[in-house]
Amino acid sequence: MSHRKLSIPTLRRLPLYYNIVRHAADAGQSFISSSEIAYCLNVDPTQVRKDLSAIGHRGKPKIGFSSFELAEYLKSFLGFDRIRRIIIVGAGNLGVALSRYSGFTTHGMDITALFDVNPSLAGTVVEGRKIRMMDELERYVCENSIEIAILTVPAMAAQQVSDRLFAAGIKAVWNFAPVNITHPSGALVWNHDLMASFAAFIKFVEDSPESGEGHGIPLLSLL
Amino acid sequence: MSHRKLSIPTLRRLPLYYNIVRHAADAGQSFISSSEIAYCLNVDPTQVRKDLSAIGHRGKPKIGFSSFELAEYLKSFLGFDRIRRIIIVGAGNLGVALSRYSGFTTHGMDITALFDVNPSLAGTVVEGRKIRMMDELERYVCENSIEIAILTVPAMAAQQVSDRLFAAGIKAVWNFAPVNITHPSGALVWNHDLMASFAAFIKFVEDSPESGEGHGIPLLSLL
DNA sequence: TAGATTGTTAATCGATTAACAATC
DNA sequence: TAGATTGTTAATCGATTAACAATC
């Protein structure tokens, strides 16, 4: 129980374990071993056991982990069974694409609204959600106690918009703009620079020897 | 020169350095120190110097790094000045959003085509590119010597589509589907599971003490 | 020059992996 | 039972950080 502090690598692996275990459970497989999970992700089986142990889940020696139980445990631990209200700020290509992504809903993330500065988008309905104008932002965030925002505005506007979000009470921002955002203590920014990620990937590919030894990279750390 | 093998963490930081340095150069700042770069990303200045040293770039003691020169160096090192042909397979929300993202073009990534199974999308033009049907896939990849594909198909189809991509000669896949893809040796798959990343973020946020000590997380490793 | 910043070697830190007893 | 798999402690590995001489 009482996980003191999970490392970020562990935190990143847990959702991947969930995908695998959920899939096994759905396919009717009763038990799954740490080796099976580890093989899928190309990590060490010990790593898997250690991570699961860290969040307080016990397996059965000789048998493995009950797929269904573990899936439910991870689901609960990761909070996929609880609803969280989230807003998307910036209803451009990416913002709209994310708002249409069904994965959010199935993982308990309720995207309650989209915001944009462009008046021509006012009232446009995307996936059942009306695009709101930026001048409604503060009131909406306060009245609905929103704490998490996905930021998909242009880089130039990211800092300015973030300042408003923090002032309105937002505690965490998932930032897709390729800029560093300064933020008050007590708030968090998790940068997700798609281009930077892709560039690192390309470079990795080009630096790799022509004949990779198949499945040899820790896919994981590359998330 | 001759960087033997850059670590993945280093590889992920380089594009972020580029963003910062390019921005400084564009703003007319002649020189930038490792500390300035490090501060923006909340990493250690030594880290920055070590990374830059690893790719063979030298700074000037007492002065720092020439913003313009470093920006150009990183641009060249990361290959942003060379054109690479890429295809997007899966013209759904995300695939279309990515194809519209101008960042690819400005970083030398030329998205030459989109593919989808949905016949009703046949011929639809997105950002000047015609959506092609899957039966053209193999021929297109071969004839245009495409080596990199962005995979934005539903999870269920990911493995099957990947098999076709590898068979056609694709060497690297940037996979957005939340499933592990088995691939032949010599090919690489870089998973980019948006939901898993977001889930780790949310969990991190909820586990953090209410009063974070502002800007205290290594934003970096969280990319 | 003196002070500031680089480049690099050495020390630290933490994550991954190995080893192995416990167990169903 | 014997064999397989877990859980955990110890060892390894590699990335980050500290220390400091070199330098403009």
Side-chain angles (χ1 to χ4, degrees):
Chain A
M1 240 80 323
S2 68
H3 58 286
R4 281 296 152 250
K5 177 101 151 304
L6 297 175
S7 71
I8 286 174
T10 294
L11 231 31
R12 310 206 69 157
R13 281 188 292 265
L14 294 174
L16 304 180
Y17 296 162
Y18 176 69
N19 286 344
I20 293 165
V21 175
R22 164 51 28 105
H23 192 266
D26 289 350
Q29 183 182 340
S30 302
F31 290 89
I32 189 166
S33 70
S34 57
S35 313
E36 287 177 85
I37 298 172
Y39 177 78
C40 289
L41 297 169
N42 200 34
V43 297
D44 195 280
T46 306
Q47 185 76 271
V48 176
R49 293 202 294 279
K50 215 169 198 202
D51 288 337
L52 296 180
S53 170
I55 64 172
H57 190 80
R58 320 304 312 270
K60 294 183 177 54
K62 181 178 176 178
I63 294 177
F65 299 85
S66 155
S67 306
F68 183 76
E69 275 178 28
L70 181 50
E72 287 302 302
Y73 193 94
L74 282 166
K75 182 180 187 177
S76 165
F77 182 84
L78 293 168
F80 294 158
D81 56 352
R82 294 187 289 283
I83 293 183
R84 295 176 173 104
R85 289 189 305 274
I86 295 165
I87 58 170
I88 291 180
V89 184
N93 296 317
L94 190 56
V96 169
L98 291 176
S99 77
R100 286 189 172 135
Y101 182 44
S102 63
F104 283 102
T105 310
T106 59
H107 290 77
M109 318 290 180
D110 182 14
I111 296 171
T112 64
L114 286 92
F115 291 87
D116 204 286
V117 275
N118 187 344
S120 71
L121 292 175
T124 302
V125 174
V126 177
E127 207 74 8
R129 302 167 192 110
K130 201 179 59 166
I131 295 181
R132 294 161 192 270
M133 290 295 96
M134 286 299 283
D135 54 17
E136 301 178 54
L137 184 67
E138 283 81 0
R139 197 162 58 84
Y140 187 92
V141 168
C142 293
E143 286 181 1
N144 296 280
S145 307
I146 307 290
E147 300 197 327
I148 300 165
I150 296 176
L151 189 65
T152 47
V153 302
M156 236 187 60
Q159 182 65 60
Q160 187 196 343
V161 171
S162 297
D163 290 341
R164 289 179 60 181
L165 289 169
F166 297 131
I170 290 286
K171 292 280 175 285
V173 170
W174 199 28
N175 172 41
F176 282 85
V179 288
N180 175 248
I181 289 175
T182 62
H183 54 89
S185 359
L188 292 174
V189 175
W190 184 288
N191 292 304
H192 195 111
D193 185 332
L194 284 170
M195 202 58 233
S197 183
F198 190 62
F201 164 51
I202 294 289
K203 196 66 196 167
F204 182 80
V205 169
E206 296 180 350
D207 282 1
S208 295
E210 195 53 34
S211 57
E213 68 280 18
H215 190 98
I217 328 114
L219 297 175
L220 252 239
S221 55
L222 314 186
L223 187 80
Chain B
M1 241 82 318
S2 68
H3 58 287
R4 281 297 152 252
K5 178 100 151 303
L6 296 175
S7 73
I8 286 173
T10 294
L11 230 31
R12 311 206 68 155
R13 282 188 293 265
L14 294 174
L16 305 180
Y17 296 162
Y18 176 70
N19 287 344
I20 292 165
V21 174
R22 162 52 26 105
H23 192 266
D26 289 350
Q29 185 182 339
S30 301
F31 290 89
I32 190 165
S33 70
S34 58
S35 313
E36 287 177 83
I37 298 172
Y39 178 78
C40 290
L41 298 169
N42 200 34
V43 297
D44 195 279
T46 305
Q47 185 77 272
V48 176
R49 294 202 292 279
K50 215 169 197 202
D51 287 339
L52 296 181
S53 170
I55 62 171
H57 189 80
R58 321 304 310 270
K60 292 183 181 52
K62 182 178 175 177
I63 294 177
F65 299 84
S66 155
S67 306
F68 183 77
E69 275 177 27
L70 181 50
E72 288 302 303
Y73 193 93
L74 283 166
K75 183 179 186 179
S76 165
F77 182 84
L78 294 167
F80 293 158
D81 57 350
R82 293 186 289 284
I83 294 184
R84 296 177 173 103
R85 289 189 304 275
I86 295 166
I87 58 171
I88 292 180
V89 183
N93 297 316
L94 189 56
V96 169
L98 291 176
S99 77
R100 285 188 174 136
Y101 182 44
S102 64
F104 283 102
T105 309
T106 60
H107 290 76
M109 318 290 181
D110 181 15
I111 296 171
T112 64
L114 286 92
F115 291 87
D116 204 284
V117 275
N118 188 343
S120 71
L121 292 175
T124 303
V125 175
V126 177
E127 208 74 8
R129 302 170 192 107
K130 202 178 59 166
I131 296 182
R132 294 160 193 269
M133 291 296 95
M134 287 298 283
D135 53 17
E136 300 178 54
L137 184 67
E138 283 81 359
R139 198 162 57 85
Y140 187 92
V141 168
C142 293
E143 286 181 0
N144 296 278
S145 308
I146 307 291
E147 299 199 327
I148 301 165
I150 298 175
L151 189 65
T152 48
V153 302
M156 234 187 62
Q159 182 65 60
Q160 186 196 345
V161 171
S162 297
D163 289 341
R164 289 179 59 181
L165 289 169
F166 297 133
I170 288 286
K171 292 280 175 286
V173 170
W174 199 28
N175 172 40
F176 283 84
V179 287
N180 175 248
I181 289 176
T182 61
H183 53 88
S185 0
L188 293 174
V189 175
W190 184 287
N191 292 304
H192 194 112
D193 185 332
L194 284 169
M195 202 57 232
S197 183
F198 190 62
F201 164 51
I202 294 289
K203 196 67 195 166
F204 182 81
V205 169
E206 296 179 349
D207 282 0
S208 296
E210 195 55 33
S211 56
E213 68 281 15
H215 188 100
I217 330 115
L219 297 175
L220 253 237
S221 55
L222 316 185
L223 186 78

